[in-house]
Amino acid sequence: MCEVPQKHWRPFVSAVPFVGPNTSPRSNGRRARFAVTGIALLMCAACASLPKTHTCSPSSALADTADSTSLGRAAARRMTELNGPSGINLIPDGPDALLARLTLVDLAERSLDLQYYAWHDDTVGKLLIGAVMRAAERGVRVRLLIDDVGASPDDGTLLLLDAHPNIEVRLFNPISSRSVKALWMITDFSRVNRRMHNKSITADNQMTIVGGRNIGDEYFEASTAMNYADLDALAIGAAVAAVSARFDRYWSSPIVYGITELRHESPAAGDLERAAAGLRAFEQQQRDKPYAQAMRESRLSQELRDGRVSFSPARIEVTSDDPIKVEHPGKDPSQNLMPQLRPQFDGARESVMLVSPYFVPRKGGVEFLRSLRARGVRVRVLTNGLASTDVLPVFGKYKKYRRQLLEAGIELYEIDPAYDLDGPAGPLQTSDDAKAPRAALHGKVLTFDCLQFFVGSMNLDPRSAFTNTEIGFLVDAPEVAGPLCKGLDETFARGAFRLELTTTSNGARHLEWVDTDKGREQRFTSEPRASRWQRFKALVYGILPIESLM
């Protein structure tokens, strides 16, 4: 924990009153004072700095939980049945992925370590934070490490959580000025542009989940607007200790700060209890919603509670960026996560599949994939199309490489936003004829000859390669990789458009998108399901010199 100067603070109460359209001299005076105050805040932001020393106490993963916790005993029973150092269970289904997290939190008896880039203040975010608070009430030690830019909770909410004696909240590479964070992102861009994109949750140092999902409705098929196709891996055995070791490295990094090192206030008496009561009431309100019903029917959750989860034997190498990637940018890029996967690409003999929602290969990536094709390796890429992407600037840069990839013999697919993820209606769905949420790709998966695979947080773009930190599992488990490849084959066939270069009668070549779902072929000569406005914006982003930031 951190030493905290005691200064009361009332959460969720604005310090600045609403100013209406009054034009009286008195109002004009108030406006002038607000303007002066705003200028003063901007000047303060320009000279703000992070604390020079850390006051938070060091801590590390608990090492004595194998025999003393129910999760430890359950993991030990499963490991005796496996012929391998680790066990793995893939979780492609959104409701299952949320239930797995909630169940691990509910079953934890000693510790919870959570590391996330994004944590939204929505249904999923509230359900999980409510479960975490209940765990803390049971005496579970909670360490919550979140990215300062990606996560939604404001400082007041984080201070409220940290006020619990069993919860400690730390922020990765935080913005110095807490009052005008947006301005500071501009004035200190070279530093704060570098973010922690990792995603993991570990219970009692015995079971862990690593994958592509942040904490928010759309990552668990719980949104009424857009839902992501994603993938997580639940693991036991040696992989868990490796994830915990990496968590400890981040937790103790000099660029990680406790929330109370940045803000020296503490909640007023009773605020924590009222927040917990509000979360319990919110959870009660969700019990009759369609999504909650789907969660209750999750077989995975019940198997976790009964200690009957099926794991496949696997050799799992926990691959990750060290926080030194942000502490000392560019010091040794060869140690970044992406180069760690080079041996798997070099060893591939038959096929490689690349699944990445944000795919910007650049010239070097195109040439590398071309070299794989030159030695007979089949290369297939699945990414977002214009109508499914949620980050148009990235798409604007990706689209200029499509023709080069196809000419190099790469098979290119873009997810269909109308693809049915087989998810239930979201928790806010109110009518049977409401518009179905669109689908988007968010999973990050690489397969090598359908014998080995990678699953984690890393996209195939410059940001993941050089700027952000990432984590993932490199898994050697043919009995898991085979079915994973078959599932991806089905997604290529049913849930994506295949891109082709077609030659016209006058010899010109142009892109076409081919839809082969439902046994018939349909071709499009422009971005399917995309509007003219989307096409125009993608064109503009493609021109801007921002590729290294993508």
Side-chain angles (χ1 to χ4, degrees):
M1 302 297 285
C2 308
E3 296 179 5
V4 188
Q6 296 302 307
K7 178 181 176 183
H8 288 310
W9 172 87
R10 295 290 298 181
F12 315 118
V13 178
S14 173
V16 181
F18 173 74
V19 180
N22 192 333
T23 58
S24 67
R26 186 175 181 180
S27 175
N28 290 336
R30 286 199 300 270
R31 289 180 178 180
R33 288 194 294 275
F34 277 123
V36 172
T37 301
I39 293 172
L41 285 172
L42 297 181
M43 294 177 64
C44 288
C47 60
S49 61
L50 293 169
K52 301 298 183 184
T53 59
H54 287 281
T55 59
C56 293
S57 302
S59 64
S60 57
L62 302 182
D64 58 345
T65 57
D67 298 325
S68 62
T69 64
S70 60
L71 284 175
R73 292 187 291 271
R77 288 195 300 271
R78 308 318 293 180
M79 286 303 301
T80 59
E81 305 166 1
L82 303 178
N83 183 24
S86 298
I88 192 168
N89 183 309
L90 294 184
I91 314 177
D93 182 71
D96 273 349
L98 177 58
L99 255 295
R101 287 165 170 80
L102 290 172
T103 305
L104 286 185
V105 172
D106 285 346
L107 294 177
E109 297 171 301
R110 298 282 304 283
S111 67
L112 283 168
D113 291 335
L114 304 98
Q115 182 177 14
Y116 282 98
Y117 168 69
W119 194 305
H120 296 171
D121 184 25
D122 55 15
T123 299
V124 164
K126 291 176 181 176
L127 289 175
L128 189 54
I129 208 63
V132 167
M133 290 186 69
R134 289 195 304 273
E137 286 299 313
R138 299 194 307 270
V140 176
R141 185 194 72 174
V142 177
R143 297 190 295 175
L144 176 59
L145 175 58
I146 59 175
D147 186 82
D148 190 36
V149 172
S152 297
D154 58 22
D155 285 359
T157 302
L158 298 178
L159 285 165
L160 196 64
L161 290 169
D162 192 87
H164 194 287
N166 291 326
I167 301 177
E168 185 174 358
V169 179
R170 296 188 184 182
L171 302 177
F172 181 87
N173 197 26
I175 295 174
S176 305
S177 174
R178 310 309 296 171
S179 56
V180 280
K181 293 174 68 174
L183 173 70
W184 193 255
M185 289 182 66
I186 298 173
T187 60
D188 194 18
F189 180 78
S190 62
R191 178 180 69 84
V192 300
N193 181 46
R194 312 185 72 85
R195 308 315 317 164
M196 180 190 74
H197 197 238
N198 308 40
K199 311 158 202 317
S200 70
I201 175 173
T202 304
D204 287 339
N205 200 15
Q206 296 298 320
M207 291 192 186
T208 190
I209 298 175
V210 168
R213 290 182 172 98
N214 292 300
I215 306 303
D217 288 353
E218 61 268 35
Y219 301 97
F220 299 91
E221 299 169 35
S223 171
T224 58
M226 178 187 71
N227 286 313
Y228 289 125
D230 217 321
L231 186 66
D232 287 321
L234 171 67
I236 57 174
V240 181
V243 172
S244 292
R246 276 134 178 101
F247 181 95
D248 285 348
R249 172 69 181 92
Y250 277 80
W251 188 252
S252 302
S253 167
I255 58 172
V256 167
Y257 289 80
I259 181 60
T260 53
E261 293 180 306
L262 303 170
R263 294 289 297 268
H264 299 316
E265 301 92 342
S266 61
D271 282 342
L272 186 61
E273 292 77 8
R274 282 189 287 273
L279 288 169
R280 288 193 296 270
F282 178 82
E283 182 180 5
Q284 188 65 34
Q285 293 169 5
Q286 303 303 309
R287 291 189 178 277
D288 295 331
K289 301 294 178 65
Y291 187 79
Q293 178 62 34
M295 290 169 57
R296 285 193 290 270
E297 295 172 354
S298 167
R299 185 176 67 180
L300 176 61
S301 175
Q302 192 57 52
E303 289 177 344
L304 272 171
R305 294 184 184 280
D306 296 342
R308 297 183 292 105
V309 177
S310 175
F311 289 93
S312 297
R315 294 187 178 276
I316 301 176
E317 179 183 350
V318 179
T319 55
S320 69
D321 289 308
D322 190 274
I324 201 170
K325 184 179 181 181
V326 174
E327 294 171 14
H328 303 288
K331 183 176 182 179
D332 186 3
S334 67
Q335 298 303 307
N336 293 351
L337 191 159
M338 201 169 286
Q340 296 175 39
L341 301 175
R342 181 62 184 262
Q344 277 61 47
F345 283 99
D346 291 342
R349 294 292 178 264
E350 297 181 1
S351 67
V352 169
M353 283 191 276
L354 314 177
V355 179
S356 178
Y358 314 116
F359 181 57
V360 184
R362 312 187 87 175
K363 291 182 180 179
V366 173
E367 290 308 310
F368 178 70
L369 296 180
R370 190 193 305 273
S371 71
L372 291 181
R373 286 293 301 125
R375 58 184 178 86
V377 178
R378 183 186 185 189
V379 180
R380 284 183 285 175
V381 176
L382 175 66
T383 189
N384 276 312
L386 178 55
S388 63
T389 187
D390 62 333
V391 185
L392 269 174
V394 174
F395 179 86
K397 293 304 177 184
Y398 146 72
K399 69 188 292 288
K400 73 178 188 179
Y401 294 105
R402 292 186 297 200
R403 183 179 292 266
Q404 299 175 40
L405 289 164
L406 292 171
E407 290 173 343
I410 311 305
E411 299 174 48
L412 195 55
Y413 295 79
E414 294 176 357
I415 202 79
D416 184 352
Y419 182 42
D420 181 9
L421 299 179
D422 297 323
L428 305 180
Q429 197 82 37
T430 56
S431 63
D432 293 336
D433 58 351
K435 185 178 179 181
R438 67 184 176 97
L441 181 67
H442 195 262
K444 306 94 165 50
V445 182
L446 311 174
T447 71
F448 308 97
D449 291 335
C450 292
L451 298 174
Q452 297 176 307
F453 64 93
F454 169 89
V455 57
S457 67
M458 183 190 72
N459 297 302
L460 298 177
D461 59 15
R463 174 163 288 277
S464 283
F466 305 111
T467 305
N468 291 346
T469 67
E470 310 286 354
I471 190 172
F473 286 162
L474 178 58
V475 184
D476 186 349
E479 69 177 71
V480 181
L484 173 61
C485 284
K486 290 181 180 179
L488 290 175
D489 285 340
E490 183 178 354
T491 301
F492 288 137
R494 291 184 51 244
F497 298 102
R498 186 181 75 251
L499 275 66
E500 290 186 359
L501 273 178
T502 302
T503 303
T504 61
S505 56
N506 61 4
R509 305 188 78 189
H510 67 272
L511 281 177
E512 286 191 352
W513 289 257
V514 183
D515 179 11
T516 58
D517 192 17
K518 300 180 178 64
R520 68 180 188 276
E521 182 177 281
Q522 184 177 8
R523 290 179 174 265
F524 301 85
T525 56
S526 61
E527 311 275 0
R529 310 193 199 287
S531 66
R532 291 182 179 178
W533 178 235
Q534 286 174 308
R535 296 187 186 105
F536 173 75
K537 289 191 290 184
L539 177 65
V540 172
Y541 283 125
I543 297 172
L544 295 176
I546 55 175
E547 186 168 305
S548 62
L549 302 177
M550 297 298 100

